[in-house]
Amino acid sequence: MSLQANVTTQAATTFAQCGNPHQTLFRLSANVPLTDALEHASNLLSCATRMSLLATHGDGAEDCAMAAHHLSEMSKAVIDDVSTALLKSEADHVQ
């Protein structure tokens, strides 16, 4: 499956649950090219990896762990939205 230039994010994914279980604080933006979105997710995951490693060293461990958690959550949201866009594009192409 190739990433077509005209396939973009769907704004279908929300993240950062707050309050009740069905309330989220953020939503992905629509119409971002998938390659750009995946590059951003990769950068977020790189930061999360570094933060989780820093969390193993003691001082500020809780802060680093929470930062890694939030970065991971953002990365997952981007990847989920990209997956939605690809599945929709593939379904539209089949029809």
Side-chain angles (χ1 to χ4, degrees):
M1 187 175 348
S2 65
L3 295 179
Q4 300 170 8
N6 60 343
V7 181
T8 60
T9 54
Q10 303 295 296
T13 307
T14 59
F15 63 100
Q17 179 182 323
C18 59
N20 69 52
H22 303 290
Q23 185 177 27
T24 55
L25 190 57
F26 299 109
R27 175 179 299 278
L28 269 288
S29 295
N31 302 317
V32 175
L34 297 190
T35 52
D36 293 345
L38 287 173
E39 181 179 359
H40 192 76
S42 178
N43 291 335
L44 289 169
L45 286 169
S46 178
C47 292
T49 300
R50 292 178 61 114
M51 295 302 290
S52 61
L53 182 60
L54 287 173
T56 67
H57 294 300
D59 288 342
E62 187 174 326
D63 292 335
C64 287
M66 284 308 299
H69 168 76
H70 291 299
L71 290 165
S72 298
E73 185 179 24
M74 286 186 274
S75 303
K76 183 181 181 321
V78 172
I79 292 168
D80 288 351
D81 206 82
V82 166
S83 296
T84 298
L86 287 172
L87 291 171
K88 182 182 181 303
S89 174
E90 193 171 274
D92 290 347
H93 182 69
V94 169
Q95 295 177 356

